[in-house]
Amino acid sequence: MSCAHLLIIGDRAALSWVVTEQRMAFPPGRAKAARTLEEGDEVFLYTTRGCFRNPTRDLGRVIARASVASPVRPLEEPVVFGDRSFTEGCRLEVSGLATFREGLVLRDLVPRLSVFPDPATWSVRMRRASLELPPADANLVRAELEPLLCPYDESAGAYRWETASA
């Protein structure tokens, strides 16, 4: 049975790579958790408040819906963003993408999501690479996000800027 996950992205260069390459990468310390993703799982891409380097202006948003298109496995060459190396990864198939810097503001849904049992401390659960969503939570996120999504080809170009080094 497939699951749904939030994939949490906290860096704009990493976001650009994830969206334009339709791939996800994980650091060595998150490999075990990353391997819970299975081919066919639904994923929602979430950008943190700090993703665009201005957390006082930006909000954490769910910006895309995708599916896992390959198993998570070691990368032939690690992907590097800044001083962080990402050694495991998988392919994604993005089925919908919000306009750049738009999307579903997650904090507005927190009181209605069971994955966050204490809404006052919900952001603590977001300090990871991915977060599995219970089915009812996935249904809510999907329903709220769907009207904000555009076809991938219409929005992806706006997400291209910094490149990763391998």
Side-chain angles (χ1 to χ4, degrees):
M1 184 171 127
S2 66
C3 295
H5 308 263
L6 280 177
L7 296 181
I8 301 161
I9 303 166
D11 176 81
R12 65 186 184 180
L15 173 63
S16 180
W17 182 84
V18 168
V19 170
T20 61
E21 296 292 322
Q22 294 195 65
R23 293 171 61 196
M24 184 66 186
F26 303 91
R30 304 286 189 201
K32 184 177 179 183
R35 290 182 185 264
T36 64
L37 293 170
E38 295 184 2
E39 197 167 346
D41 281 356
E42 179 178 35
V43 294
F44 300 99
L45 301 182
Y46 171 80
T47 58
T48 66
R49 286 181 41 210
C51 185
F52 298 102
R53 301 182 183 154
N54 192 341
T56 58
R57 177 194 63 204
D58 294 314
L59 300 171
R61 297 177 186 271
V62 181
I63 62 150
R65 182 176 177 203
S67 60
V68 177
S70 73
V72 175
R73 54 176 60 115
L75 300 174
E76 287 183 27
E77 291 288 325
V79 179
V80 177
F81 303 105
D83 61 351
R84 295 193 66 198
S85 180
F86 296 76
T87 57
E88 305 267 331
C90 63
R91 289 186 304 105
L92 300 175
E93 185 175 315
V94 179
S95 58
L97 182 63
T99 304
F100 185 65
R101 282 197 138 121
E102 296 295 324
L104 177 63
V105 177
L106 188 62
R107 76 171 182 209
D108 295 345
L109 286 185
V110 165
R112 296 169 51 199
L113 295 170
S114 66
V115 74
F116 304 115
D118 178 10
T121 61
W122 74 276
S123 63
V124 171
R125 294 189 50 96
M126 302 299 284
R127 294 182 184 146
R128 60 189 75 212
S130 68
L131 178 64
E132 188 171 335
L133 296 174
D137 288 0
N139 290 339
L140 178 59
V141 170
R142 187 182 311 107
E144 295 287 330
L145 178 63
E146 196 63 35
L148 306 174
L149 297 179
C150 301
Y152 174 81
D153 291 338
E154 289 179 19
S155 296
Y159 288 87
R160 299 176 203 271
W161 64 97
E162 298 177 31
T163 58
S165 59

